[in-house]
Amino acid sequence: MKITIITVGKIKEKYLKQGIAEYLKRLGPYAKVQIVEVADEKAPENMSDAEMQDVKRKEGERILSNVTPDTYLVTLEIEGKMLSSEQLAAKLDELATYGKSKVAFVIGGSLGISEEVQKRSDLALSFSRMTFPHQLMRLVLLEQVYRGFRITKNEPYHK
């Protein structure tokens, strides 16, 4: 399986980079994982609704330029569907079983994701109704994908 994490912005914090590198290494035996960072749109502090939509639209165009038609697209959204770790594992296993070998997860910028990206999404996934920094979500997502593979293979890790 080929998994792509498409995310807005770069990681600056060393501790997050280290955690991300660790899970990328752990995922190596299970899947080919690639992280694609798209530029975040510079935005003024106080924006109108129209300016916010414009920022999301531009970031969305960058995101969608990295998605092929045969990719199963999962967007991380506060209002998305909540799954347990076991359910996420089952979903990844189902996708692999039915020939969806390309999966991309989208982590939007600070304003969220555009309507166009939401429309292209095959699954809107929520990790919580709380808001998390998108940099931290990259680490959390990788950990959950790793956990999912371990669950599917009946390997120790998930308790």
Side-chain angles (χ1 to χ4, degrees):
M1 177 174 272
K2 181 180 180 205
I3 297 175
T4 304
I5 313 265
I6 304 169
T7 182
V8 176
K10 295 190 178 298
I11 300 280
K12 296 176 186 83
E13 296 83 359
K14 185 177 179 183
Y15 72 97
L16 288 174
K17 286 181 179 181
Q18 291 172 328
I20 289 164
E22 176 63 26
Y23 282 104
L24 287 171
K25 183 176 82 175
R26 289 183 185 195
L27 278 162
Y30 304 102
K32 181 177 183 217
V33 181
Q34 172 188 16
I35 295 179
V36 175
E37 295 175 333
V38 300
D40 52 349
E41 191 66 22
K42 301 300 176 223
E45 195 67 29
N46 295 315
M47 289 185 282
S48 68
D49 284 346
E51 288 171 317
M52 284 193 271
Q53 293 305 319
D54 191 49
V55 166
K56 290 198 301 187
R57 182 186 54 74
K58 288 176 181 174
E59 290 175 347
E61 288 171 358
R62 292 181 192 123
I63 289 167
L64 290 175
S65 72
N66 288 283
V67 178
T68 59
D70 61 337
T71 298
Y72 187 89
L73 191 64
V74 180
T75 49
L76 273 56
E77 304 180 41
I78 290 175
E79 297 300 323
K81 183 176 183 176
M82 289 186 161
L83 299 177
S84 67
S85 296
E86 295 85 356
Q87 289 170 318
L88 178 60
K91 183 65 179 175
L92 291 172
D93 191 47
E94 172 191 317
L95 291 170
T97 300
Y98 292 102
K100 287 286 187 182
S101 60
K102 287 185 186 174
V103 178
F105 290 88
V106 171
I107 302 171
S110 58
L111 298 175
I113 58 175
S114 70
E115 212 174 293
E116 294 78 18
V117 175
Q118 288 175 323
K119 285 178 184 171
R120 171 58 180 85
S121 177
D122 294 298
L123 172 65
L125 179 64
S126 175
F127 278 59
S128 172
R129 295 291 178 234
M130 292 185 266
T131 303
F132 294 100
H134 52 278
Q135 297 91 340
L136 179 60
M137 276 313 301
R138 193 182 311 186
L139 177 59
V140 173
L141 173 62
L142 286 168
E143 189 281 333
Q144 284 298 300
V145 170
Y146 173 70
R147 182 179 297 271
F149 280 112
R150 299 290 291 201
I151 290 169
T152 300
K153 304 285 186 197
N154 290 316
E155 295 174 351
Y157 176 76
H158 175 70
K159 295 189 177 25

